[in-house]
Every structure is written in structure tokens, then in C-alpha cells.
Amino acid sequence: MNSVIFYSLPEVLLLLAGAILLDWWIGDPKWLPHPVIFIGRWIGYWERRLLPHRTKRSNGILLMLIVTLSSLALVWILTSVASWIHPWLGYAVHMWLISTTIAIKGLKDAAMLVYDRLSRGELTKARKYTGYIVGRDTDGLEEAELSRATVETVAENTVDAVIAPLFFALIGAAPLAMLYRSVNTLDSMVGYRNTKYLHFGWASARLDDVLNWIPARLTGLMLMIVSAFYRPASAVQAWRAVVAFAHLHPSPNSGIPEAAVAGSLGIQLGGLNRYGGVISERARLGWATRTIEKEDIIHTIRLLYGVSYLVMGGLLCVACGWLV
């Protein structure tokens, strides 16, 4: 069987470029089964069996190992069998699976649902759609807070849903990209610092932090570069915001893209949020030079796509240079 370990660097780079094109074009169509849905069900299956036990941290480690290793193994088998049948089928399966680990179009579409409702003055619907993409309570939020929540989500997920999966796909194509996506899904399902998951989700949350460490910093750098294309001064402000504020975020990684976006746009992110009715004060990132408005959602989407264009250009330049 011809597996990914036999792919050359140009082949892997072109696979990543093709995956980005697929995501730009079709995203995650509802009629096509999505691997993350199956990963979520697999997590839920094992959570129901492991969580009730008293040794929650060790069972959480077991959950993490079962989900990540099974995801890695299954995708390696699928891509190896496809490559064995025909090399071009192997390329196609790799490309599609990698595309399912990124969500450029999905992020844009989700954010635009909020923006469109705000533009129409439909606050109730805007709150509903914001609630689909954030964990905080959205009832009663006004336009500025709904816009802030959406901007923060797009900024943070530029790491989780774009750069990080592509980073691991560069190292190990679809199998490693899917391993990353399984860790990220684990973190989103059990990685909460509450009574239920504090110990059980500890391993998943810490592994997610480790895997995102390099991608988060690459994303911050790319956001600064992309900001320079809009306004050179905003790139400097993005850098200053990362240096001054990123370390204040409870996550070792999420503060970097959020601070970069805040500095680039000249707004302040963070502040008071409610989770299940409980008020939480999140670190304030950036300088409040103006009030956040719905148009900042559009600006953040442009930064998101700018980062993806930057990655695409880099992939094609390196691949062509290598081949020539």
C-alpha cells in the first residue's frame, strides 16, 4: 500500500492547496457526511462509559488516547487503501479529508448569519445565530456585544479551524490533520473547567494547548502580515496588542489571534460574559479606540480570508519552486 509516508513535499503541499480550494468552494455541505460528526459521536460513546467512574483524570486520559489513536488509525487505513487502489484516488481522499479539518467557508458563513441579522435589525435572530458559534449566553446581548462575540470566535478559530489543521497536515497529511481535529473536538466537548469536566477533560484540554502552541503563534504573525495589506499602521498595532495583552487570556494560545485582531481593528475584545447565568470577566485585549460595531465582523472575515490567501500563496510558491 502507498501511504502518506511515501508522499514527497511538493505532493503534500499541493494536497493542502487543493484542500483549501475545496473548502473555499464547497465548505462543509450538509449532504456529505462529516468526519467531525462521527468523532463527536465516538467521544460521546466513550464519555458515557468512562465519566461516571471515580478515577476521572485517568479515565480522561484513556478517552483521549482512544479517540485520537482510533482517528489517526482509521484515516491512515482509508488513505492507504485508496492509494493502493489508485494513486489519484489516494490524492483525492487525502484532499477531501484534509478539507474537512478546516473551516474557512464555514466560519465565514456562520459569522455572516449574525452580520446579516444585525444589518436587518433582527436582534433576536442575531442572538440565536451567535449562540450557535459561542459558548456564552447570548440572551439580552445588544449589537456591540453580539459583534464582539462573533469577532472573537472568528479570530480564535483562525487557529483551530485553519492554521493548526493545515500545520499538522503539512507534517502528516490527512491522518495527522484528523488527529488534530479529534483533539480539538475533545477539547470543545470535555475540555471545560467546571465541576463535571475539570479532571475528566484535563488531558484533552492540555493536549489541545500543546498542539495549538506553534499554530497560534504562526497565526498571530500571519494576521500582522495581512493587516499590513489593509493599513501598514494596523500591523504595528496588532503586534503591540499581542505583546501587551495576549498573555492575559486564560488560554496560552487564544489570546494571540484575538489580541492581533483587536489591535488591527482598533477595538477592545474581552470583557464581561455570562455562561449558564454565571458572570465571567475575561481579559480585555486591545485598546478601545472606538465602539465595536457589526462591520467589524466583515473586517475580521477579511483577515481570516487574507490568512488563507497567504497560506495558499506560500504553498504554491514552495511547491513550484521545489518542482522547478
Side-chain angles (χ1 to χ4, degrees), residues 13-322:
L13 294 174
L14 292 174
L15 284 177
L16 267 63
I20 295 173
L21 282 173
L22 268 179
D23 187 73
W24 282 346
W25 179 33
I26 63 173
D28 298 319
K30 294 181 179 180
W31 54 267
L32 197 61
H34 200 288
V36 173
I37 294 176
F38 296 108
I39 291 173
R41 291 173 181 171
W42 190 230
I43 293 170
Y45 172 86
W46 284 105
E47 179 188 350
R48 289 190 295 272
R49 282 152 181 79
L50 296 173
L51 181 58
H53 297 278
R54 296 180 64 185
T55 53
K56 289 184 178 179
R57 180 163 290 193
S58 60
N59 283 347
I61 294 173
L62 180 59
L63 170 71
M64 179 197 71
L65 291 173
I66 290 172
V67 173
T68 56
L69 295 180
S70 60
S71 298
L72 175 69
L74 181 59
V75 172
W76 184 83
I77 291 169
L78 286 173
T79 52
S80 295
V81 169
S83 298
W84 175 71
I85 294 172
H86 195 282
W88 284 104
L89 179 60
Y91 292 144
V93 172
H94 267 291
M95 195 178 298
W96 174 68
L97 285 171
I98 294 170
S99 76
T100 66
T101 67
I102 60 180
I104 304 164
K105 186 176 184 297
L107 266 177
K108 180 205 73 173
D109 291 345
M112 286 303 298
L113 283 174
V114 179
Y115 174 80
D116 289 342
R117 272 37 183 204
L118 289 175
S119 298
R120 299 173 189 174
E122 300 174 349
L123 276 179
T124 301
K125 289 185 177 179
R127 291 165 183 153
K128 180 181 74 171
Y129 287 123
T130 305
Y132 289 162
I133 58 175
V134 300
R136 73 195 68 172
D137 301 340
T138 57
D139 294 344
L141 294 185
E142 298 300 324
E143 178 179 316
E145 286 300 300
L146 293 169
S147 299
R148 174 171 73 86
T150 306
V151 167
E152 289 172 352
T153 295
V154 175
E156 179 181 359
N157 280 284
T158 304
V159 178
D160 296 356
V162 184
I163 299 303
L166 289 173
F167 175 80
F168 287 101
L170 180 63
I171 299 171
L176 210 56
M178 197 61 68
L179 181 143
Y180 169 79
R181 179 53 60 210
S182 69
V183 173
N184 192 247
T185 307
L186 277 164
D187 181 59
S188 67
M189 292 181 66
V190 303
Y192 299 103
R193 296 181 180 179
N194 54 27
T195 304
K196 183 178 181 180
Y197 292 118
L198 180 62
H199 299 292
F200 185 70
W202 173 84
S204 297
R206 296 293 75 75
L207 183 57
D208 185 72
D209 289 342
V210 170
L211 295 186
N212 278 316
W213 199 90
I214 294 176
R217 283 143 187 85
L218 289 174
T219 303
L221 178 61
M222 290 181 190
L223 285 168
M224 294 171 204
I225 294 171
V226 171
S227 296
F229 286 96
Y230 293 111
R231 292 174 302 169
S234 68
V236 176
Q237 288 298 97
W239 166 254
R240 290 183 59 219
V242 169
V243 172
F245 301 107
H247 67 281
L248 301 176
H249 198 284
S251 164
N253 302 311
S254 298
I256 295 173
E258 289 187 29
V261 168
S264 176
L265 300 185
I267 58 177
Q268 186 178 77
L269 299 177
L272 291 177
N273 299 328
R274 284 185 299 115
Y275 298 90
V278 178
I279 295 177
S280 173
E281 172 72 28
R282 301 299 293 269
R284 297 175 188 271
L285 312 176
W287 299 274
T289 60
R290 60 178 179 82
T291 302
I292 299 175
E293 55 190 17
K294 62 180 180 292
E295 295 303 322
D296 289 312
I297 298 174
I298 301 295
H299 297 321
T300 310
I301 291 172
R302 287 175 181 163
L303 290 174
L304 164 70
Y305 267 79
V307 167
S308 71
Y309 298 150
L310 187 64
V311 172
M312 175 66 86
L315 290 172
L316 293 179
C317 285
V318 175
C320 292
W322 191 281

